[in-house]
């Protein structure tokens, strides 16, 4: 019985033992970017790490270290934001997945804590499937909307607002300055129109970095969301573990 589930805590012999019996692993990724005056810059990667490690403990499935930097150039005017190009981020995550594959892993669950990474990760998952690796991407906040639809208003569910702040309060309360939490209605661009996507920066829309209502965060709500998303992800990870590779790979031409 292997008790360790975090790769960096294992010796290479313990890792060998895990990879001999398992073809699945969990990889958390996030970002280091502004989340308003109340929240730490690490919000996105710290939450992803918290969820991924808890799922690993409950399932016995290996979890890697969190990749802390992501695609965040839209936040760069706020001090401390680290922004990686989509190309570099994709290559780094891909090489991490290929290293796992070299050790026999063919199924990877990426726990993504930052919405700005999603486009790259979706593209990468499709690319890796063609190479015989099945990658699923999990994001906690859309899962929370579905699983707990009435817990927050739309205004509380936006960037740096109550939902994210509550999750920080549940996982690492010492990093949250709750008395600095703000509510800020984001400014609209005069160019906004139905069907149009604009390449705006956060600084174009808010002065605090918060989109919406941040002052209503609570540790109880954070704990509720954490539990429900972890339970949901545990279910997915177990199903993926059981799935047969031949059912996961691209189909031959009809
Ligand atoms: Zn965030």
């Amino acid at each position: 019985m292997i008790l360790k589930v975090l790769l960096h805590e294992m010796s290479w012999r313990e890792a060998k033992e895990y990879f001999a019996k398992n073809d699945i692993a969990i990889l958390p990724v996030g970002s280091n970017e502004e989340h308003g005056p109340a929240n730490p810059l690490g919000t996105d990667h710290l939450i992803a790490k918290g969820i991924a490690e808890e799922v690993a403990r409950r399932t016995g499935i290996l979890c890697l270290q969190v990749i802390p930097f992501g695609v965040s150039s839209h936040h760069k005017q706020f001090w401390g934001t680290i922004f990686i190009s989509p190309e570099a981020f994709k290559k780094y995550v891909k090489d991490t997945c290929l290293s796992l594959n070299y050790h026999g892993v063919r199924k990877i669950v990426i726990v993504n804590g930052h919405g700005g990474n999603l486009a790259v990760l979706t593209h990468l998952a499709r690319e890796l499937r063609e190479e015989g690796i099945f990658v699923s991407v999990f994001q906690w906040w859309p899962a929370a909307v579905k699983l707990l639809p009435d817990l927050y208003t739309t205004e509380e569910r936006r960037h740096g607002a109550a939902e994210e702040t509550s999750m920080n309060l549940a996982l690492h309360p010492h990093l949250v300055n709750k008395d600095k939490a703000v509510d800020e209605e984001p400014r609209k661009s005069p160019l906004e129109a139905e069907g149009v996507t604009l390449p705006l920066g956060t600084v174009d829309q808010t002065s605090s970095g918060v989109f919406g209502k941040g002052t209503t965060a609570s540790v109880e709500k954070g704990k509720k969301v954490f539990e429900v998303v972890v339970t949901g992800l545990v279910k997915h990870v177990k199903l993926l573990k059981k799935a047969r590779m031949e059912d996961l790979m691209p189909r031959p031409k009809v």
Side-chain angles (χ1 to χ4, degrees):
M1 172 79 179
I2 298 167
L3 293 171
K4 290 181 189 173
V5 287
L6 305 180
L7 181 65
H8 65 284
E9 293 186 353
M10 293 178 175
S11 70
W12 73 264
R13 283 192 195 281
E14 287 166 333
K16 183 182 176 187
E17 200 183 322
Y18 176 86
F19 291 122
K21 295 183 195 132
N22 297 278
D23 65 352
I24 182 166
I26 302 169
L27 171 64
V29 305
S31 68
N32 193 86
E33 66 184 33
E34 73 79 19
H35 274 78
N39 292 297
L41 291 161
T43 293
D44 288 352
H45 78 260
L46 292 173
I47 295 174
K49 175 181 186 285
I51 293 169
E53 291 186 351
E54 184 59 21
V55 170
R57 279 190 282 272
R58 292 190 195 183
T59 57
I61 288 169
L62 180 82
C63 181
L64 271 66
Q65 293 94 318
V66 66
I67 295 178
F69 305 130
V71 182
S72 298
S73 66
H74 49 299
H75 291 293
K76 72 179 178 187
Q77 289 84 357
F78 291 84
W79 295 79
T81 296
I82 303 296
F83 44 103
I84 306 299
S85 71
E87 296 77 17
F89 177 71
K90 185 178 173 195
K91 183 88 175 75
Y92 196 95
V93 177
K94 185 175 184 179
D95 283 354
T96 308
C97 293
L98 291 177
S99 305
L100 283 170
N101 185 239
Y102 179 75
H103 301 305
V105 169
R106 299 195 68 192
K107 303 163 183 172
I108 300 169
V109 178
I110 295 182
V111 178
N112 178 34
H114 170 53
N117 295 338
L118 184 62
V120 170
L121 294 172
T122 307
H123 196 259
L124 176 63
R126 200 155 280 288
E127 202 173 294
L128 286 173
R129 191 177 183 217
E130 297 296 329
E131 295 181 33
I133 306 167
F134 191 87
V135 176
S136 64
V137 181
F138 176 81
Q139 300 194 129
W140 66 269
W141 60 100
V145 175
K146 292 271 190 229
L147 296 167
L148 295 167
D150 303 323
L151 196 66
Y152 294 108
T153 63
T154 310
E155 287 313 293
E156 293 175 306
R157 292 201 122 119
R158 305 186 70 187
H159 178 86
E163 186 173 55
E164 271 192 311
T165 308
S166 300
M167 198 66 138
N168 279 333
L169 283 171
L171 291 176
H172 28 259
H174 59 294
L175 301 180
V176 182
N177 288 311
K178 219 183 153 214
D179 53 331
K180 295 206 166 55
V182 296
D183 300 334
E184 183 172 350
E185 184 55 41
R187 292 183 287 275
K188 279 202 182 311
S189 161
L191 293 172
E192 276 180 40
E194 284 305 326
V196 173
T197 303
L198 299 167
L200 298 176
T202 298
V203 77
D204 298 316
Q205 296 162 286
T206 99
S207 312
S208 65
V210 173
F211 290 72
K213 202 170 174 57
T215 52
T216 47
S218 84
V219 63
E220 293 75 22
K221 284 187 173 185
K223 283 182 177 165
K224 223 180 228 183
V225 169
F226 182 74
E227 189 52 39
V228 81
V229 298
V230 165
T231 306
L233 185 54
V234 162
K235 218 192 233 173
H236 166 70
V237 165
K238 284 182 176 169
L239 280 175
L240 187 60
K241 188 183 178 180
K242 265 198 262 161
R244 299 181 322 154
M245 268 327 285
E246 53 266 44
D247 294 331
L248 297 175
M249 286 300 100
R251 308 258 172 231
K253 231 161 111 183
V254 287

